[in-house]
Amino acid sequence: MARVLLIGLGDLGRRLALGLAAAPEVGELVLAGRREEDGRAFAALAAACGRARVRFVYADAAQEAELEALLRKEQPQLVVQAASGASPWAAPGSDAPAAQALLAAGFAAQLPAHLPLVRHVMRAVRASGLAVPVVNAAFPDFTHSILAAEGLAPTVGIGNAGMIRARVVAELRRRGEEELEPRLKVLAHHAHLTPVVLAQPLPEGCTQPRIYIGEDGQRRDELAFSGPPLPSRRELNALPAASGLPILRALLGGPELRTSAPGPGGLPGGYPVRVSAAGVELDLPAVIDLEEALAYQWESARVDGVERLDADGTVHFTAAARRALEPFAPALTEPLAPGEAEGRLGLLRQLLGSA
């Protein structure tokens, strides 16, 4: 049974921890975070909720040397990265002009909250010499593409396309078509997630999630928006936890899985994948090749505020994103090199604080 290192004990990290503590593939779960008293108490709770041995260790995800030492000491078979510098739920639900501007700019404007810590984790993993899968929950649709430019892409992400697939599965079951689930393939992007959650298709001219049934790829795109609307708030973290846990188990030798997931192998957006102890591989339907899928993903990324990504990982933002934040924090949409994101986190937090 495997040892798993989970970094970050926010709401999503805790939900993942409870699932991992009960997973039969996990013998020991090491929870890493900065709040010691609270972390130790939660570790005791997780241990009582599952079958694995659970313990807490102090670690600051921003300190690569600490992370490297922790990885060398613990020798995990799987690393789960769930830390971020600011909550993605800070802006939604606020009517403040700054919050509305940040949402209008697209989620890529919040890269300073999500890129630095996963970058530190990946640099520490590489420095430790461990050849283990790393699963990331922090904006994997785009952080993985940035990190790929530095040879630091995690194995795969969780959330987003997996959440959309879970919504479609629920709709198939509601319709009595659950026999289609094993043949379901979802190609989608983070930019599609909130519209799917709210059951509101994106405006005309924007890409929509692509829902394929079977190897021949029969399109059932309407299924993405057919379920009842859900509140877009923190409790939605139950969905990436529920759809992500089978991926973690499959990587540890549990049941092999066909699902959809963001950022496999450093690719932008989310794709149908096969997951097993051997790793993650694309599972595209025969009607679409990778070149077409990538073009679709980069077009979708514009809704999140991304104009393009340079070969060195520098992000360029759309004109619409720059206009949205011009009155509040124009520096957030200046071209962003991977190593510069941490320096902008204070500006993002200041903007969120004013919201």
Side-chain angles (χ1 to χ4, degrees):
M1 297 213 298
R3 177 181 294 136
V4 177
L5 173 63
L6 189 153
I7 302 167
L9 291 176
D11 184 75
L12 177 55
R14 289 171 180 248
R15 292 174 188 266
L16 290 169
L18 292 173
L20 285 166
E25 298 80 15
V26 180
E28 187 171 18
L29 177 60
V30 182
L31 306 178
R34 294 187 301 173
R35 297 172 58 188
E36 276 199 82
E37 184 177 351
D38 181 65
R40 295 188 190 283
F42 178 74
L45 172 64
C49 291
R51 53 194 295 171
R53 180 187 176 203
V54 185
R55 53 191 173 85
F56 173 84
V57 296
Y58 176 86
D60 184 344
Q63 302 301 317
E64 289 177 22
E66 284 185 19
L67 290 175
E68 181 184 348
L70 177 63
L71 288 159
R72 290 181 183 275
K73 177 183 178 182
E74 298 294 348
Q75 296 288 305
Q77 283 75 56
L78 173 68
V79 176
V80 182
Q81 196 304 113
S84 63
S87 171
W89 302 105
S94 172
D95 293 328
Q100 292 302 304
L102 187 61
L103 293 173
F107 199 69
Q110 299 186 48
L111 274 168
H114 304 292
L115 177 61
L117 295 185
V118 64
R119 186 170 182 260
H120 287 311
V121 169
M122 291 307 303
R123 284 165 61 100
V125 169
R126 295 290 186 264
S128 74
L130 290 178
V132 297
V134 180
V135 179
N136 170 50
F139 195 14
D141 290 67
F142 204 59
T143 57
H144 291 200
S145 298
I146 297 171
L147 293 169
E150 301 182 283
L152 297 173
T155 306
V156 72
I158 59 171
N160 306 337
M163 298 165 70
I164 292 171
R165 187 183 189 278
R167 285 274 280 166
V168 173
V169 168
E171 179 62 13
L172 288 174
R173 291 173 179 166
R174 187 188 71 81
R175 296 180 178 202
E177 297 181 283
E178 55 267 29
E179 75 280 359
L180 299 179
E181 179 182 346
R183 298 189 287 130
L184 171 66
K185 299 186 178 189
V186 174
L187 184 71
H189 190 279
H190 171 272
H192 302 137
L193 178 60
T194 297
V196 169
V197 166
L198 299 177
Q200 297 174 354
L202 279 81
E204 187 175 350
C206 295
T207 64
Q208 308 289 344
R210 295 189 180 185
I211 312 302
Y212 299 92
I213 302 293
E215 301 303 325
D216 59 349
Q218 177 189 353
R219 294 283 290 273
R220 296 281 301 276
D221 296 355
E222 77 284 354
L223 290 170
F225 302 100
S226 297
L230 300 176
S232 183
R233 56 188 184 222
R234 193 182 303 272
E235 68 187 39
L236 196 66
N237 279 338
L239 199 47
S243 58
L245 186 62
I247 293 176
L248 306 182
R249 292 186 58 197
L251 288 169
L252 292 170
E256 294 189 6
L257 184 66
R258 296 180 77 172
T259 186
S260 288
L267 295 176
Y271 305 78
V273 292
R274 293 177 183 261
V275 189
S276 70
V280 179
E281 62 180 24
L282 289 181
D283 188 27
L284 292 171
V287 294
I288 182 172
D289 60 17
L290 181 57
E291 183 178 2
E292 182 183 346
L294 287 171
Y296 163 86
Q297 297 291 3
W298 286 118
E299 184 180 357
S300 301
R302 294 183 60 82
V303 180
D304 267 343
V306 176
E307 179 68 37
R308 70 179 191 274
L309 183 69
D310 289 345
D312 66 354
T314 297
V315 183
H316 295 263
F317 297 88
T318 62
R322 297 196 301 273
R323 283 195 302 270
L325 284 176
E326 180 66 29
F328 300 96
L332 281 177
T333 51
E334 291 295 319
L336 179 67
E340 297 174 347
E342 200 155 15
R344 294 191 192 179
L345 180 55
L347 179 60
L348 176 62
R349 286 174 171 166
Q350 183 179 359
L351 182 66
L352 291 170
S354 68

